[in-house]
């Protein structure tokens, strides 16, 4: 199934929205997949089919529909596990999105559970104990979802937050790695691929240092899992977060992968139905993973839709997706160089970077760029700080315009972007 | 097209050639307002004179064409008018901006500010247009107290 070339015209036919006409007769040019991707017909159809013919709650319903729903939900877990190379399906926890996956891990640290705590007595596991003197390391290029949960954690516990800087060319600054990650570091959490710069971070270098000092490593893979072949076991990290809506799936479903042994040692994040083994009035014991972390009725059809998205991506082949995006990125880097005063924020070569290009145009605010691209050309880009305000502060700019590509984008759409940018410059000349 | 109705010539003119930009002395009150969703910001000063006259509105800020042009138009409209008059213009401008494009603008009250009518159809941009005007209202209240 996996080939390295991809028939983009055939793929586009699977995405009904891409042939849609916008008001005024404009054709849609969707360059905002880094924000959220479009959905192919098989995903829409799977969700529709499940909702219309098989829907019921999962786990607890003892009837045909309950069995079908549970089977579909749990097989989505199998698909995701295989897709990301998880050694065990039980290591795949469904969350609402990447943000919840990151929060789940952040809330596992520094808890003091008193009394009979069943399997979840985190206070007892030193890896999750956190207090004054302990450190958490993130980076300046993180999405707010990989910053704020850790800020809250250190505020709760008195631990210290530290971060990697970012170099002028948009790389993680590893020059102070040994001072940054030390014996005091409990966990390092960084993006696998930056949602602004497109930079793919050197996980192995960070991991090596973290292992030397016994720190855990989490990857925010929201921007990598949709676009590259990712194998969590090969990466060798401890936790990985990603989010369904950026990888052709529905919104409302995300994934936390964690090493089984760690997930078993972690206290539950939320309490409720389905996450328990037995409940007494004064205490409870918890279900084995993954259910320990899935309190309440989960996003059932969303998970099933994600399963269909993963099937679709595997049908195309992630190596082919990666190659296609690389070609688009090469083309776009070249094409954007022709636009006067355009300043790329992020690596200007293909080396260790993905298909996300953020830039500024001198004297023109990104909101104006985005508005004119949309109004006049039907080109959807993202403008603003893309939930990475500290990174924009680092580069001394309030906002950027961001074009991000996916398997259904074409070089023709990049040409349209460049024409649009020239027009924007004419309006504000 | 839609874009053209928002980027009126007058707005682009004010953006390219802002009127009264720069912070000046003396002043009675200074305020700093930000739009957290897009990072637009403005620092604005008002100097009031005898008989409720607005002697000067001076400002410095950064942001998109809409927010910058709105500050420039505000400067022109407010300087030399009475506080009372300008506050009624602010009210009319706010009503227009929050009217989701359904409100008929009163050109007699608004003058040049009527050029912003098209912005009201873009909820994400309304805050850009209102940033300096809300800052002005705030500054006037502070200078009076
Ligand atoms: C790098 C990165 N991390 C985290 C997130 C948060 O994803 P979600 O909003 O689905 O939780 C995003 C998406 O906006 C992202 O790009």
């Amino acid at each position: 199934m996996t080939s390295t070339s991809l028939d983009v015209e055939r793929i586009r036919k699977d995405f009904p929205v891409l042939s849609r006409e916008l008001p005024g007769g404009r054709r849609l040019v969707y360059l905002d997949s880094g924000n959220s991707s479009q959905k192919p017909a098989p995903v829409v159809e799977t969700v529709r089919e499940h909702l219309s013919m098989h829907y019921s709650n999962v786990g607890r319903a003892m009837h045909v529909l309950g069995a079908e729903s549970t089977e579909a939900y749990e097989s989505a877990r199998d698909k995701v596990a295989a897709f990301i190379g998880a050694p065990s399906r039980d290591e795949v926890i469904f969350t609402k999105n990447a943000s919840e996956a990151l929060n789940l891990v952040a809330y596992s640290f520094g808890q003091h559970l008193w009394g009979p705590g069943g399997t979840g007595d985190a206070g007892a596991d030193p890896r999750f104990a956190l207090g004054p003197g302990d450190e958490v390391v993130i980076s300046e290029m993180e999405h707010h979802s990989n910053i704020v949960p850790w800020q809250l954690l250190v505020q709760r516990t008195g631990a210290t937050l530290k971060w990697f800087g970012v170099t002028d060319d948009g790389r993680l600054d590893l020059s102070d790695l040994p001072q940054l990650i030390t014996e005091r570091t409990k966990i390092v959490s960084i993006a696998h691929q930056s949602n602004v710069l497109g930079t793919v971070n050197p996980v192995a270098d960070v991991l090596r240092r973290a292992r030397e000092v016994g720190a855990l490593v989490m990857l925010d893979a929201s921007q990598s899992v949709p676009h590259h072949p990712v194998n969590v076991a090969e990466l060798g990290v401890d936790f990985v977060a990603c989010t369904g809506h950026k990888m052709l799936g529905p919104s409302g479903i995300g994934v936390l992968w964690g090493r089984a042994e760690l997930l078993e040692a972690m206290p539950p994040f939320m309490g409720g139905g389905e996450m328990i083994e037995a409940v007494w009035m004064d205490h409870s014991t918890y279900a084995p993973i993954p259910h320990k972390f899935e309190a309440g009725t989960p996003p059932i059809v969303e998970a099933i839709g994600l399963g269909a998205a993963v099937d679709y991506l595997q049908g195309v082949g992630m190596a082919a997706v990666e190659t296609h995006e690389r070609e688009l990125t090469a083309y776009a880097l070249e094409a954007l160089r022709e636009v006067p005063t355009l300043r790329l924020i992020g690596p200007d070569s293909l080396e260790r970077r993905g298909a996300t290009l953020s830039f500024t145009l001198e004297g023109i605010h990104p909101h104006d760029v985005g508005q004119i691209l949309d109004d006049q050309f039907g080109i959807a880009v993202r403008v603003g700080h893309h939930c990475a305000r500290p990174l924009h502060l680092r580069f001394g700019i309030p906002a950027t315009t961001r074009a991000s590509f996916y398997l259904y984008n074409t070089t023709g759409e990049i040409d349209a972007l460049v024409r649009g940018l020239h027009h924007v410059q004419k309006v504000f000349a | 097209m839609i874009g053209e109705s928002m980027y009126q010539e007058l707005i682009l003119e004010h953006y390219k050639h802002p009127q009264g930009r720069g912070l000046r002395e003396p002043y009675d009150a200074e305020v700093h307002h930000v739009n957290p969703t897009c990072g637009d910001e403005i620092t604005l000063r008002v100097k009031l004179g005898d008989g409720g006259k607005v002697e000067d509105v001076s400002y410095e800020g950064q942001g998109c064409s809409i927010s910058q042009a709105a500050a420039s138009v505000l400067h022109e409209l407010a300087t030399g008018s009475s506080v009372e008059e300008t506050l009624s213009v602010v009210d009319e401008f706010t009503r227009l901006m929050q009217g989701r494009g359904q409100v008929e603008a009163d050109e007699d009250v608004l003058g040049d500010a009527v050029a912003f009518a098209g912005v009201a159809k873009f909820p994400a941009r309304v805050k850009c247009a209102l940033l300096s005007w809300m800052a002005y209202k705030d500054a006037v209240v502070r200078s009076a107290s």
Side-chain angles (χ1 to χ4, degrees), chain A residues 272-319:
Chain A
E274 294 309 318
M275 55 75 70
I276 50 85
E277 179 185 63
V279 178
W280 291 265
M281 278 318 290
D282 63 344
H283 77 286
S284 302
T285 55
Y286 308 120
I289 61 167
H291 300 290
K292 183 171 94 179
F293 294 104
E294 293 181 2
T297 300
I300 301 168
V301 282
E302 289 80 358
I304 293 166
L306 177 58
V310 159
D311 280 345
Y312 185 89
L313 285 169
Q314 257 168 347
V316 176
M318 288 309 291

Short mmCIF file of all heavy atoms in Angstrom, two decimals, chain A residues 272-319:
data_model
loop_
_atom_site.label_atom_id
_atom_site.label_comp_id
_atom_site.label_asym_id
_atom_site.label_seq_id
_atom_site.Cartn_x
_atom_site.Cartn_y
_atom_site.Cartn_z
N GLY A 272 -14.78 9.27 37.33
CA GLY A 272 -16.11 9.15 36.75
C GLY A 272 -16.39 7.72 36.32
O GLY A 272 -15.65 6.80 36.67
N GLY A 273 -17.46 7.57 35.57
CA GLY A 273 -17.85 6.25 35.08
C GLY A 273 -16.77 5.69 34.19
O GLY A 273 -16.01 6.43 33.57
N GLU A 274 -16.69 4.37 34.14
CA GLU A 274 -15.81 3.65 33.23
C GLU A 274 -14.34 3.69 33.60
O GLU A 274 -13.54 2.96 33.02
CB GLU A 274 -15.95 4.12 31.77
CG GLU A 274 -17.30 3.83 31.13
CD GLU A 274 -17.71 2.37 31.26
OE1 GLU A 274 -16.87 1.48 31.11
OE2 GLU A 274 -18.89 2.13 31.54
N MET A 275 -13.93 4.59 34.52
CA MET A 275 -12.50 4.60 34.85
C MET A 275 -12.24 3.82 36.15
O MET A 275 -11.13 3.77 36.62
CB MET A 275 -11.94 6.03 34.92
CG MET A 275 -12.61 7.00 35.85
SD MET A 275 -12.28 6.77 37.60
CE MET A 275 -10.57 7.26 37.68
N ILE A 276 -13.29 3.20 36.67
CA ILE A 276 -13.16 2.53 37.97
C ILE A 276 -13.15 1.02 37.84
O ILE A 276 -13.57 0.45 36.84
CB ILE A 276 -14.30 2.94 38.93
CG1 ILE A 276 -15.67 2.80 38.23
CG2 ILE A 276 -14.09 4.33 39.43
CD1 ILE A 276 -16.29 1.47 38.27
N GLU A 277 -12.66 0.40 38.91
CA GLU A 277 -12.75 -1.04 39.03
C GLU A 277 -13.88 -1.33 40.02
O GLU A 277 -14.84 -2.00 39.71
CB GLU A 277 -11.42 -1.58 39.53
CG GLU A 277 -11.33 -3.07 39.73
CD GLU A 277 -9.97 -3.41 40.36
OE1 GLU A 277 -9.71 -2.96 41.50
OE2 GLU A 277 -9.18 -4.10 39.71
N ALA A 278 -13.78 -0.71 41.20
CA ALA A 278 -14.84 -0.83 42.19
C ALA A 278 -14.92 0.47 42.99
O ALA A 278 -13.91 1.13 43.22
CB ALA A 278 -14.56 -2.00 43.13
N VAL A 279 -16.14 0.83 43.38
CA VAL A 279 -16.34 2.08 44.13
C VAL A 279 -17.04 1.78 45.44
O VAL A 279 -18.04 1.07 45.47
CB VAL A 279 -17.19 3.07 43.30
CG1 VAL A 279 -17.44 4.36 44.10
CG2 VAL A 279 -16.53 3.38 41.97
N TRP A 280 -16.46 2.28 46.52
CA TRP A 280 -17.12 2.27 47.82
C TRP A 280 -17.47 3.71 48.15
O TRP A 280 -17.07 4.61 47.40
CB TRP A 280 -16.18 1.70 48.89
CG TRP A 280 -15.91 0.23 48.72
CD1 TRP A 280 -16.56 -0.80 49.32
CD2 TRP A 280 -14.91 -0.35 47.88
NE1 TRP A 280 -16.05 -2.00 48.91
CE2 TRP A 280 -15.03 -1.76 48.03
CE3 TRP A 280 -13.94 0.15 47.02
CZ2 TRP A 280 -14.20 -2.66 47.35
CZ3 TRP A 280 -13.12 -0.74 46.33
CH2 TRP A 280 -13.26 -2.13 46.51
N MET A 281 -18.18 3.95 49.23
CA MET A 281 -18.51 5.34 49.54
C MET A 281 -17.27 6.15 49.91
O MET A 281 -17.23 7.35 49.69
CB MET A 281 -19.55 5.43 50.67
CG MET A 281 -20.98 5.24 50.20
SD MET A 281 -21.37 6.10 48.63
CE MET A 281 -21.33 7.80 49.16
N ASP A 282 -16.25 5.52 50.43
CA ASP A 282 -15.10 6.32 50.87
C ASP A 282 -13.88 6.20 49.97
O ASP A 282 -12.92 6.92 50.15
CB ASP A 282 -14.73 5.93 52.32
CG ASP A 282 -14.31 4.48 52.43
OD1 ASP A 282 -14.59 3.70 51.48
OD2 ASP A 282 -13.70 4.11 53.44
N HIS A 283 -13.88 5.28 49.03
CA HIS A 283 -12.74 5.22 48.11
C HIS A 283 -13.07 4.35 46.91
O HIS A 283 -14.14 3.72 46.87
CB HIS A 283 -11.48 4.70 48.82
CG HIS A 283 -11.49 3.22 49.03
ND1 HIS A 283 -12.28 2.62 50.00
CD2 HIS A 283 -10.83 2.21 48.39
CE1 HIS A 283 -12.09 1.31 49.96
NE2 HIS A 283 -11.23 1.03 48.99
N SER A 284 -12.17 4.34 45.95
CA SER A 284 -12.38 3.53 44.74
C SER A 284 -11.07 2.88 44.32
O SER A 284 -9.99 3.33 44.68
CB SER A 284 -12.86 4.40 43.58
OG SER A 284 -14.05 5.06 43.92
N THR A 285 -11.20 1.85 43.53
CA THR A 285 -10.03 1.33 42.82
C THR A 285 -10.29 1.54 41.33
O THR A 285 -11.44 1.69 40.92
CB THR A 285 -9.81 -0.17 43.13
OG1 THR A 285 -11.01 -0.87 42.82
CG2 THR A 285 -9.43 -0.36 44.59
N TYR A 286 -9.22 1.56 40.59
CA TYR A 286 -9.36 2.04 39.21
C TYR A 286 -9.20 0.94 38.18
O TYR A 286 -8.49 -0.05 38.40
CB TYR A 286 -8.34 3.15 38.95
CG TYR A 286 -8.42 4.23 39.99
CD1 TYR A 286 -7.34 4.56 40.80
CD2 TYR A 286 -9.65 4.87 40.22
CE1 TYR A 286 -7.44 5.51 41.78
CE2 TYR A 286 -9.76 5.83 41.22
CZ TYR A 286 -8.65 6.14 41.99
OH TYR A 286 -8.77 7.08 42.97
N ALA A 287 -9.81 1.19 37.03
CA ALA A 287 -9.71 0.27 35.90
C ALA A 287 -8.27 0.26 35.39
O ALA A 287 -7.52 1.21 35.59
CB ALA A 287 -10.65 0.71 34.79
N PRO A 288 -7.88 -0.81 34.73
CA PRO A 288 -6.55 -0.82 34.10
C PRO A 288 -6.51 0.21 32.97
O PRO A 288 -7.57 0.67 32.50
CB PRO A 288 -6.43 -2.23 33.52
CG PRO A 288 -7.62 -3.00 33.94
CD PRO A 288 -8.63 -2.05 34.49
N ILE A 289 -5.30 0.55 32.55
CA ILE A 289 -5.17 1.44 31.40
C ILE A 289 -5.71 0.71 30.16
O ILE A 289 -5.64 -0.51 30.11
CB ILE A 289 -3.71 1.90 31.18
CG1 ILE A 289 -2.82 0.68 30.92
CG2 ILE A 289 -3.24 2.71 32.35
CD1 ILE A 289 -1.44 1.04 30.39
N PRO A 290 -6.23 1.38 29.17
CA PRO A 290 -6.34 2.83 29.03
C PRO A 290 -7.53 3.44 29.77
O PRO A 290 -7.61 4.64 29.95
CB PRO A 290 -6.54 2.98 27.52
CG PRO A 290 -7.27 1.74 27.12
CD PRO A 290 -6.72 0.65 27.99
N HIS A 291 -8.48 2.57 30.24
CA HIS A 291 -9.76 3.11 30.73
C HIS A 291 -9.61 3.96 31.98
O HIS A 291 -10.43 4.84 32.24
CB HIS A 291 -10.75 1.96 30.92
CG HIS A 291 -10.99 1.22 29.64
ND1 HIS A 291 -11.68 1.77 28.59
CD2 HIS A 291 -10.56 0.00 29.20
CE1 HIS A 291 -11.69 0.93 27.56
NE2 HIS A 291 -11.01 -0.15 27.91
N LYS A 292 -8.53 3.72 32.72
CA LYS A 292 -8.29 4.52 33.92
C LYS A 292 -8.29 6.02 33.61
O LYS A 292 -8.65 6.85 34.45
CB LYS A 292 -6.93 4.12 34.53
CG LYS A 292 -6.60 4.83 35.82
CD LYS A 292 -5.35 4.23 36.46
CE LYS A 292 -4.11 4.98 36.05
NZ LYS A 292 -2.89 4.43 36.68
N PHE A 293 -7.91 6.36 32.38
CA PHE A 293 -7.82 7.78 32.02
C PHE A 293 -8.97 8.24 31.11
O PHE A 293 -8.89 9.30 30.50
CB PHE A 293 -6.47 8.05 31.35
CG PHE A 293 -5.31 7.86 32.27
CD1 PHE A 293 -4.51 6.75 32.19
CD2 PHE A 293 -5.04 8.83 33.24
CE1 PHE A 293 -3.43 6.58 33.07
CE2 PHE A 293 -3.97 8.66 34.12
CZ PHE A 293 -3.17 7.53 34.03
N GLU A 294 -10.00 7.42 31.01
CA GLU A 294 -11.12 7.81 30.14
C GLU A 294 -12.43 7.84 30.94
O GLU A 294 -13.33 7.04 30.74
CB GLU A 294 -11.22 6.86 28.95
CG GLU A 294 -10.03 6.98 28.01
CD GLU A 294 -10.12 6.05 26.78
OE1 GLU A 294 -11.12 5.34 26.61
OE2 GLU A 294 -9.16 6.07 25.98
N ALA A 295 -12.52 8.82 31.84
CA ALA A 295 -13.71 8.93 32.68
C ALA A 295 -14.90 9.40 31.86
O ALA A 295 -14.79 10.31 31.05
CB ALA A 295 -13.45 9.91 33.82
N GLY A 296 -16.03 8.79 32.11
CA GLY A 296 -17.26 9.24 31.46
C GLY A 296 -17.40 8.73 30.03
O GLY A 296 -16.51 8.08 29.50
N THR A 297 -18.54 9.05 29.43
CA THR A 297 -18.76 8.65 28.04
C THR A 297 -17.76 9.36 27.15
O THR A 297 -17.68 10.59 27.17
CB THR A 297 -20.20 9.01 27.62
OG1 THR A 297 -21.11 8.32 28.48
CG2 THR A 297 -20.46 8.63 26.17
N PRO A 298 -16.97 8.61 26.41
CA PRO A 298 -15.92 9.24 25.60
C PRO A 298 -16.50 9.83 24.31
O PRO A 298 -17.67 9.62 24.01
CB PRO A 298 -14.99 8.07 25.27
CG PRO A 298 -15.89 6.87 25.26
CD PRO A 298 -16.97 7.14 26.27
N PRO A 299 -15.67 10.55 23.55
CA PRO A 299 -16.11 11.02 22.22
C PRO A 299 -16.16 9.82 21.28
O PRO A 299 -15.18 9.54 20.59
CB PRO A 299 -15.03 12.02 21.80
CG PRO A 299 -14.00 12.02 22.89
CD PRO A 299 -14.30 10.95 23.87
N ILE A 300 -17.27 9.12 21.26
CA ILE A 300 -17.36 7.81 20.59
C ILE A 300 -17.20 7.94 19.07
O ILE A 300 -16.28 7.37 18.48
CB ILE A 300 -18.72 7.14 20.91
CG1 ILE A 300 -18.85 6.95 22.43
CG2 ILE A 300 -18.85 5.80 20.18
CD1 ILE A 300 -20.24 6.57 22.89
N VAL A 301 -18.11 8.70 18.45
CA VAL A 301 -18.03 8.78 16.98
C VAL A 301 -16.79 9.53 16.54
O VAL A 301 -16.25 9.27 15.45
CB VAL A 301 -19.27 9.46 16.35
CG1 VAL A 301 -20.42 8.48 16.32
CG2 VAL A 301 -19.64 10.73 17.05
N GLU A 302 -16.32 10.43 17.38
CA GLU A 302 -15.10 11.16 17.03
C GLU A 302 -13.92 10.20 16.96
O GLU A 302 -13.08 10.28 16.05
CB GLU A 302 -14.83 12.27 18.06
CG GLU A 302 -15.81 13.44 18.00
CD GLU A 302 -17.14 13.18 18.68
OE1 GLU A 302 -17.37 12.06 19.19
OE2 GLU A 302 -17.98 14.11 18.69
N ALA A 303 -13.85 9.29 17.92
CA ALA A 303 -12.76 8.30 17.91
C ALA A 303 -12.89 7.39 16.68
O ALA A 303 -11.90 7.10 16.00
CB ALA A 303 -12.80 7.47 19.19
N ILE A 304 -14.11 6.98 16.39
CA ILE A 304 -14.33 6.11 15.24
C ILE A 304 -13.96 6.84 13.95
O ILE A 304 -13.35 6.28 13.04
CB ILE A 304 -15.80 5.62 15.24
CG1 ILE A 304 -16.02 4.70 16.46
CG2 ILE A 304 -16.15 4.90 13.94
CD1 ILE A 304 -17.47 4.42 16.79
N GLY A 305 -14.30 8.13 13.90
CA GLY A 305 -13.92 8.95 12.75
C GLY A 305 -12.41 9.05 12.63
O GLY A 305 -11.85 9.00 11.52
N LEU A 306 -11.73 9.15 13.77
CA LEU A 306 -10.27 9.21 13.73
C LEU A 306 -9.70 7.89 13.20
O LEU A 306 -8.73 7.88 12.45
CB LEU A 306 -9.71 9.52 15.13
CG LEU A 306 -8.19 9.54 15.24
CD1 LEU A 306 -7.57 10.57 14.29
CD2 LEU A 306 -7.75 9.83 16.68
N GLY A 307 -10.34 6.79 13.60
CA GLY A 307 -9.92 5.49 13.06
C GLY A 307 -10.00 5.48 11.54
O GLY A 307 -9.09 5.00 10.86
N ALA A 308 -11.08 6.04 11.01
CA ALA A 308 -11.25 6.09 9.55
C ALA A 308 -10.20 7.01 8.92
O ALA A 308 -9.69 6.74 7.82
CB ALA A 308 -12.65 6.57 9.20
N ALA A 309 -9.86 8.09 9.63
CA ALA A 309 -8.84 9.02 9.11
C ALA A 309 -7.48 8.33 9.03
O ALA A 309 -6.74 8.48 8.05
CB ALA A 309 -8.76 10.25 10.02
N VAL A 310 -7.19 7.56 10.06
CA VAL A 310 -5.92 6.82 10.10
C VAL A 310 -5.88 5.78 8.97
O VAL A 310 -4.86 5.61 8.29
CB VAL A 310 -5.78 6.18 11.50
CG1 VAL A 310 -4.81 5.03 11.48
CG2 VAL A 310 -5.36 7.24 12.52
N ASP A 311 -7.02 5.11 8.73
CA ASP A 311 -7.10 4.18 7.60
C ASP A 311 -6.80 4.90 6.29
O ASP A 311 -6.07 4.39 5.44
CB ASP A 311 -8.51 3.58 7.49
CG ASP A 311 -8.74 2.46 8.48
OD1 ASP A 311 -7.74 1.95 9.04
OD2 ASP A 311 -9.91 2.10 8.71
N TYR A 312 -7.39 6.08 6.16
CA TYR A 312 -7.21 6.84 4.92
C TYR A 312 -5.74 7.21 4.73
O TYR A 312 -5.16 7.02 3.66
CB TYR A 312 -8.09 8.10 4.94
CG TYR A 312 -8.03 8.87 3.64
CD1 TYR A 312 -8.91 8.58 2.60
CD2 TYR A 312 -7.08 9.86 3.43
CE1 TYR A 312 -8.84 9.26 1.39
CE2 TYR A 312 -6.99 10.55 2.23
CZ TYR A 312 -7.88 10.24 1.20
OH TYR A 312 -7.81 10.92 0.01
N LEU A 313 -5.13 7.73 5.80
CA LEU A 313 -3.72 8.13 5.72
C LEU A 313 -2.83 6.93 5.41
O LEU A 313 -1.88 7.03 4.63
CB LEU A 313 -3.28 8.80 7.02
CG LEU A 313 -3.79 10.23 7.22
CD1 LEU A 313 -3.51 10.71 8.64
CD2 LEU A 313 -3.16 11.19 6.21
N GLN A 314 -3.18 5.80 6.02
CA GLN A 314 -2.36 4.61 5.76
C GLN A 314 -2.53 4.11 4.33
O GLN A 314 -1.59 3.60 3.74
CB GLN A 314 -2.64 3.52 6.77
CG GLN A 314 -1.52 3.50 7.79
CD GLN A 314 -1.82 2.67 9.00
OE1 GLN A 314 -2.97 2.27 9.24
NE2 GLN A 314 -0.80 2.40 9.78
N GLY A 315 -3.74 4.29 3.80
CA GLY A 315 -3.99 3.91 2.41
C GLY A 315 -3.11 4.73 1.46
O GLY A 315 -2.56 4.21 0.50
N VAL A 316 -2.99 6.02 1.76
CA VAL A 316 -2.15 6.88 0.92
C VAL A 316 -0.68 6.56 1.19
O VAL A 316 0.14 6.51 0.28
CB VAL A 316 -2.44 8.38 1.22
CG1 VAL A 316 -1.49 9.28 0.44
CG2 VAL A 316 -3.89 8.72 0.90
N GLY A 317 -0.38 6.33 2.45
CA GLY A 317 0.99 6.04 2.85
C GLY A 317 1.64 7.29 3.43
O GLY A 317 1.74 8.31 2.75
N MET A 318 2.08 7.22 4.67
CA MET A 318 2.66 8.41 5.30
C MET A 318 3.97 8.83 4.65
O MET A 318 4.32 10.01 4.64
CB MET A 318 2.84 8.19 6.81
CG MET A 318 1.54 8.18 7.60
SD MET A 318 0.48 9.62 7.25
CE MET A 318 1.41 10.95 7.99
N ALA A 319 4.70 7.86 4.08
CA ALA A 319 5.94 8.25 3.39
C ALA A 319 5.58 9.11 2.18
O ALA A 319 6.27 10.10 1.88
CB ALA A 319 6.70 7.00 2.97
#
